[in-house]
Amino acid sequence: MLTTRLSARNIAALGFMTFAMYLGAGNLIFPPFLGFQAGEHFLGGMAGFLLTGVGLPALALVMVAIVNGSDNLTAALPRPLATCFWVMVFVVIGPAFVVPRAITVAYQFSFAPFIGDAALIPFSIAFCIATIMFALFPGKLVDTLGKWLTPMLVVILSILAATAFMSPAGEVMSATGPYVNSAFAEGLTQGYMTMDALGSIGFGWIIFRAIRSMGVECPKATAKYTLMAAMMYAVAMVVVYMSLAYIGSTSSNLGSEFTNGGEILTAFTFHHFGAFGSVLLGTVMVLACMTTAIGVTTAGSEFYSRTFTKVTYGKSVWVAMVLAGLIANIGLEQLLAITLPVVVALHPIAIALLLIAPVRKKLAPAMVLVAAATALIFGCVDAIHILGRMPEGWDQLFQQYLPLYSYFAGWIVPTIVVIGTGLVVSMMGGLRTEVAVAQG
């Protein structure tokens, strides 16, 4: 099959687009606080963080490429269950969780320092309209994100990174808390908690659509360019994360009472740039939040328009952003309390489907369902644990008998055991069939 070969410029734009979709406000806030807590052990902490915070999402994109599209991840599930899973994914990473949070975080770091909460409503309207205008033209998403918005974001982040390395705000501090003796393990946990692997399976819809819009039709070529985008995203994100973590680890002269990475970045930019630093940081946050909002809105709308015959792409974009804007202004905190456990529970299912994808043809459909159900059940256990609502007796029992429970990843071992058992059973069944045929 003949296929279009992408130019180096288009490949770079595709990589920039992928990077921009992942680089949300949460991704900017996690690493500085990790560096602040890890201190002289920040390299060990970041090694763990990068393994799960970058490696896991990149692996997810690789699996999406291998199965030739995100929708094929759920091919082994009954159609109603697969549709239900995707609807829940795009609701929580869209108007019910990620986008409202993006709106409020963007406002908190841009206008709130100057005028408080007085302009949240007009800001939300402007943010949503801008996102809608970009998202309504998915065929131009590579140009929008990869060739315009992301380069602006990269330039500003480069200024902050160069400033941090050339003129750190203090000496590297001493490690605190769990980073004193187990920096790598704590970094693994924090990277896992970014939940970016869940975003990967959603962004896979956009990346495949973007590549196809450039004239690439061959599945192998599409997979190749998806892998290239994943590699570019991973390299760029590692550089950004390491720079931000270094800012946190060398913030001894900025204060000692920080409670999150946003406070550290605010103090750092003000220390070096004064009031202009607040503008600089606000610009970074608005761009990062908007690129993520565009990405998840586009991905969800692509899914809805392809799955439900009466839903058009344009209407889906408008409905998603109107809901996100309303939630950001009237009920974000209450909704986050509800949706966070859902996000935590969905994440294991998404990773389980990624693990199953390469071997799904060797597994019986019943075993795929059992594996997904196992991931869901133990994912709910982790969600209850994260929220601090696990009964004391059960908590002690899980601490003693459930591997990785203390790292909020108790679902991993049971799910892998189920998948492995399913493969063994399938292989034994295949051998029995071959023996029966030979004897017959």
Side-chain angles (χ1 to χ4, degrees):
M1 177 187 294
L2 295 176
T3 188
T4 301
R5 296 186 62 179
L6 299 184
S7 66
R9 185 170 182 266
N10 281 336
I11 293 173
L14 183 67
F16 272 132
M17 180 195 77
T18 305
F19 166 71
M21 290 189 299
Y22 283 96
L23 190 65
N27 304 84
L28 294 173
I29 292 173
F30 267 112
F33 197 55
L34 186 154
F36 175 73
Q37 293 179 302
E40 78 270 26
H41 296 159
F42 91 95
L43 288 178
M46 283 305 296
F49 183 88
L50 294 175
L51 188 61
T52 50
V54 177
L56 199 56
L59 176 64
L61 282 182
V62 170
M63 290 301 180
V64 167
I66 290 174
V67 301
N68 197 35
S70 291
D71 48 343
N72 288 326
L73 289 173
T74 53
L77 295 177
R79 187 176 179 84
L81 286 180
T83 301
C84 181
F85 169 76
W86 284 114
V87 168
M88 292 183 68
V89 166
F90 286 120
V91 166
V92 298
I93 70 170
F97 186 79
V98 172
V99 179
R101 187 180 65 173
I103 294 170
T104 55
V105 170
Y107 180 77
Q108 288 167 5
F109 283 94
S110 56
F111 290 94
F114 303 101
I115 58 176
D117 293 333
L120 177 58
I121 292 177
F123 176 86
S124 300
I125 295 172
F127 186 99
C128 291
I129 290 175
T131 302
I132 289 170
M133 292 302 100
F134 285 125
L136 283 177
F137 303 97
K140 296 183 178 180
L141 202 60
V142 172
D143 288 330
T144 301
L145 297 184
K147 297 178 182 178
W148 294 104
L149 292 182
T150 312
M152 291 171 57
L153 182 57
V154 168
V155 168
I156 299 174
L157 287 173
S158 298
I159 293 172
L160 295 179
T163 303
F165 286 106
M166 294 174 63
S167 180
E171 300 294 328
V172 175
M173 299 181 299
S174 299
T176 60
Y179 290 98
V180 175
N181 298 314
S182 55
F184 180 78
E186 184 64 18
L188 280 174
T189 303
Q190 294 302 318
Y192 172 78
M193 290 302 294
T194 64
M195 303 290 174
D196 277 352
L198 190 61
S200 286
I201 65 173
F203 293 151
W205 292 78
I206 304 175
I207 294 171
F208 265 62
R209 170 68 178 266
I211 295 172
R212 295 292 172 85
S213 71
M214 296 178 184
V216 177
E217 297 293 339
C218 174
K220 288 185 178 181
T222 303
K224 180 184 76 172
Y225 290 125
T226 302
L227 292 174
M228 294 174 70
M231 292 175 61
M232 294 173 67
Y233 143 75
V235 171
M237 195 65 84
V238 166
V239 172
V240 170
Y241 278 162
M242 289 299 294
S243 300
L244 294 173
Y246 184 72
I247 289 175
S249 69
T250 57
S251 59
S252 57
N253 292 341
L254 300 178
S256 60
E257 302 297 327
F258 298 119
T259 59
N260 60 67
E263 294 177 357
I264 296 171
L265 289 178
T266 299
F268 174 82
T269 53
F270 187 81
H271 174 78
H272 284 288
F273 304 104
F276 175 71
S278 298
V279 176
L280 193 67
L281 181 60
T283 303
V284 169
M285 289 296 184
V286 170
L287 287 174
C289 290
M290 184 168 292
T291 54
T292 298
I294 293 168
V296 296
T297 301
T298 301
S301 299
E302 288 275 1
F303 165 75
Y304 297 132
S305 63
R306 288 178 55 176
T307 305
F308 305 105
T309 55
K310 295 184 179 180
V311 177
T312 65
Y313 177 86
K315 288 181 180 179
S316 179
V317 169
W318 277 96
V319 169
M321 288 309 302
V322 168
L323 288 175
L326 291 173
I327 290 168
N329 282 272
I330 63 175
L332 180 59
E333 290 186 6
Q334 294 85 350
L335 191 68
L336 289 181
I338 298 172
T339 56
L340 182 58
V342 177
V343 174
V344 175
L346 279 176
H347 196 242
I349 302 176
I351 300 177
L353 292 173
L354 291 168
L355 295 174
I356 292 169
V359 297
R360 72 179 190 275
K361 293 182 180 179
K362 299 179 182 180
L363 283 173
M367 290 307 300
V368 175
L369 284 174
V370 172
T374 302
L376 173 61
I377 292 169
F378 285 95
C380 290
V381 169
D382 288 327
I384 296 171
H385 183 201
I386 289 170
L387 294 173
R389 297 178 182 175
M390 183 64 68
E392 185 175 350
W394 284 100
D395 185 66
Q396 293 177 354
L397 190 67
F398 287 133
Q399 290 280 5
Q400 187 173 0
Y401 295 108
L402 182 60
L404 303 178
Y405 172 76
S406 59
Y407 297 109
F408 309 112
W411 65 271
I412 291 179
V413 172
T415 303
I416 291 178
V417 168
V418 169
I419 295 173
T421 302
L423 287 173
V424 171
V425 170
S426 298
M427 290 173 63
M428 292 179 63
L431 286 174
R432 285 196 294 268
T433 301
E434 291 180 5
V435 170
V437 171
Q439 291 177 345

